[in-house]
């Protein structure tokens, strides 16, 4: 049976986001992997990108003591403006050369520090009111250079589908992926980031199909469309309140995972050649709310989302491990 490894954005669990609280929650749920995004490693809550050397050392020690590992660096790379144009948004603009040498290099270095090969990122904000199609070439040029920095660090850069960005759907991400054409760039499917754009299950499935060939791993969240919310072509991320467990919303996870099942063996082999232990499904449930740079589910909500996902995987015939490739290998050798 094809298998995945279950991980999650553990900062969605404990309200205090303390490292010890996140790792305790993961251990209680039987999970051994998590995506590192926001954490209090001793000096207050910080994004992983701003951790000090001392905080990195302390986190690494806590990981070793708890037996929990980092599946990916949940960086915000690419969640900045593509162009220095005032468009009424609060999105920041950073000159790209500085961004590449400072932020992108930092994300790749952190992947090395935490012994993961995966960095999550995004496809840049095009000026609000413009068409994302008009900015594909410029976004692809920047993403190619980001992929090259990651390649030098032995890291795979995962480009997540998300509203309001150049790569806001599967068709646009496919075009970016083809334009960049770099072995260290892959795509991250996230159903909730599509259904929250008022896409129905068959439409979300079509977007999944469009980007399917480039997918390296998945984020798992689901969203129930609000029929009273008139679609304006732009998502107000702070207003999104309809996130639900992954088998209850409009993202169409059952059909998507049934199709993805057939792709797992080949994708697993490819990722293992790059030093990744397997195909990660990364819980990012947002069950108690989500916004531009994160979400919250609570410890209880995170557990609900995990049980919902494992039930769904059982139903579609995908095996899963909570502890990683070592357990998968042991079972196969037994």
């Amino acid at each position: 049976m094809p298998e995945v490894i279950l991980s999650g954005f553990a900062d969605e669990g404990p309200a205090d986001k303390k490292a010890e609280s996140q790792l305790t929650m993961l251990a209680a749920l039987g999970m051994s992997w998590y995506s590192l995004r926001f954490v209090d490693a001793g000096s207050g809550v910080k994004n992983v990108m701003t951790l000090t050397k001392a905080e990195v050392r302390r986190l690494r020690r806590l990981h070793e003591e708890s037996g929990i590992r980092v599946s990916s660096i949940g960086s915000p790379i690419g969640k900045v403006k593509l162009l220095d144009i005032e468009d009424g948004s609060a999105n920041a603009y950073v000159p790209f050369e500085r961004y590449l040498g400072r932020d992108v290099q930092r994300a790749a270095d952190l992947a090395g520090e935490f012994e993961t090969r995966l960095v999550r990122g995004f496809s840049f904000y095009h000026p609000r009111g413009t068409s994302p199609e008009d900015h594909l070439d410029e976004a692809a040029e920047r993403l190619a250079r980001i992929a090259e920095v990651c390649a030098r660090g032995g890291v795979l850069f995962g480009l997540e589908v998300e509203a309001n960005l150049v790569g806001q759907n599967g068709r646009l991400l496919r075009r970016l992926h083809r334009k960049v054409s770099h072995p260290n760039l892959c795509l991250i499917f996230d159903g909730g980031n599509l259904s929250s754009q008022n896409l129905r299950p068959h439409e979300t499935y079509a977007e999944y199909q469009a980007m399917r060939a480039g997918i390296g791993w998945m984020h798992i969240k689901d969203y129930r469309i609000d029929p009273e919310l008139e679609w304006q072509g732009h998502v107000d991320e702070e207003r999104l309140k309809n996130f639900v467990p992954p088998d209850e919303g409009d993202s169409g996870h059952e059909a998507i995972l049934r199709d993805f099942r057939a792709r797992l063996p080949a994708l697993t082999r490819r990722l293992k050649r790059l030093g990744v232990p397997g195909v990660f499904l990364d819980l990012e449930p947002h069950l108690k709310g989500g916004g531009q740079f994160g979400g919250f589910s609570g410890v209880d909500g995170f557990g609900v989302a995990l049980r919902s996902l494992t039930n769904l995987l059982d139903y579609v015939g995908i095996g899963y491990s909570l502890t990683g490739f070592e357990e998968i290998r042991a079972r196969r050798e037994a």
Side-chain angles (χ1 to χ4, degrees):
M1 179 184 292
E3 294 175 308
V4 294
I5 305 173
L6 301 187
S7 177
F9 286 80
D11 58 359
E12 287 215 6
D16 62 14
K17 300 194 189 302
K18 290 184 180 295
E20 295 88 343
S21 301
Q22 293 189 41
L23 297 177
T24 297
M25 179 193 74
L26 293 166
L29 293 171
M31 300 179 71
S32 294
W33 296 87
Y34 79 117
S35 281
L36 180 55
R37 182 174 54 189
F38 290 101
V39 65
D40 181 349
S43 303
V45 178
K46 296 181 179 180
N47 185 276
V48 59
M49 298 283 285
T50 63
L51 292 174
T52 65
K53 290 181 179 180
E55 289 169 325
V56 169
R57 287 195 298 270
R58 182 168 185 269
L59 261 181
R60 291 183 60 179
R61 185 171 67 252
L62 290 172
H63 293 160
E64 185 175 351
E65 292 171 355
S66 63
I68 290 174
R69 299 179 61 186
V70 173
S71 56
S72 75
I73 301 298
S75 85
I77 294 297
K79 273 203 171 181
V80 293
K81 287 181 176 181
L82 186 65
L83 303 173
D84 189 13
I85 295 175
E86 177 54 52
D87 61 359
S89 75
N91 300 321
Y93 173 79
V94 183
F96 185 66
E97 294 301 328
R98 188 197 330 162
Y99 196 62
L100 194 70
R102 183 190 66 186
D103 299 74
V104 177
Q105 187 62 58
R106 171 66 171 161
D109 291 344
L110 283 167
E113 291 275 8
F114 288 109
E115 299 181 314
T116 177
R117 299 283 187 176
L118 306 179
V119 170
R120 181 277 300 267
F122 302 92
S123 54
F124 296 94
Y125 291 108
H126 56 94
R128 187 175 292 184
T130 67
S131 171
E133 287 86 353
D134 293 339
H135 301 280
L136 283 166
D137 287 342
E138 190 164 12
E141 180 182 342
R142 295 189 180 188
L143 291 167
R145 296 186 65 190
I146 289 172
E148 190 55 39
V149 170
C150 290
R152 291 198 293 269
V155 174
L156 193 63
F157 186 72
L159 197 58
E160 181 177 350
V161 62
E162 182 157 330
N164 305 334
L165 299 159
V166 174
Q168 60 194 242
N169 59 45
R171 288 166 290 123
L172 288 166
L173 277 187
R174 176 179 61 190
R175 292 176 67 181
L176 284 172
H177 189 251
R178 288 177 174 176
K179 283 178 179 292
V180 174
S181 188
H182 196 291
N184 286 72
L185 179 77
C186 68
L187 306 178
I188 304 174
F189 176 80
D190 188 314
N193 285 352
L194 290 165
S195 51
S196 61
Q197 298 180 58
N198 274 30
L199 297 183
R200 301 292 176 178
H202 70 280
E203 296 171 309
T204 299
Y205 183 78
E207 299 297 345
Y208 155 76
Q209 285 187 308
M211 63 185 289
R212 177 174 58 190
I215 292 174
W217 73 99
M218 286 190 175
H219 288 176
I220 303 294
K221 75 162 70 77
D222 208 345
Y223 186 83
R224 185 177 294 132
I225 294 172
D226 182 353
E228 298 181 1
L229 181 64
E230 184 179 352
W231 177 240
Q232 301 291 333
H234 182 88
V235 173
D236 181 353
E237 294 174 88
E238 302 307 320
R239 288 185 57 195
L240 296 178
K241 306 296 182 186
N242 293 358
F243 293 104
V244 294
D247 59 351
E248 295 183 15
D250 290 309
S251 299
H253 279 113
E254 179 187 337
I256 288 165
L257 289 171
R258 283 190 188 280
D259 183 87
F260 194 55
R261 180 181 186 274
R263 305 188 66 82
L264 284 171
L267 180 56
T268 299
R269 290 192 295 270
R270 174 177 175 255
L271 289 170
K272 285 166 59 177
R273 287 195 296 269
L274 297 171
V276 183
V279 180
F280 284 104
L281 298 192
D282 220 353
L283 277 168
E284 192 186 9
H286 286 17
L287 292 191
K288 297 183 181 180
Q292 185 176 14
F293 292 105
F296 182 64
S297 297
V299 172
D300 55 340
F302 201 92
V304 167
L306 176 62
R307 289 191 294 275
S308 172
L309 175 57
T310 56
N311 288 342
L312 184 56
L313 292 172
D314 287 338
Y315 188 65
V316 301
I318 294 177
Y320 55 87
S321 170
L322 296 173
T323 56
F325 181 68
E326 293 81 6
E327 179 182 305
I328 295 173
R329 183 172 58 189
R331 289 206 307 270
R332 285 175 176 167
E333 293 176 350

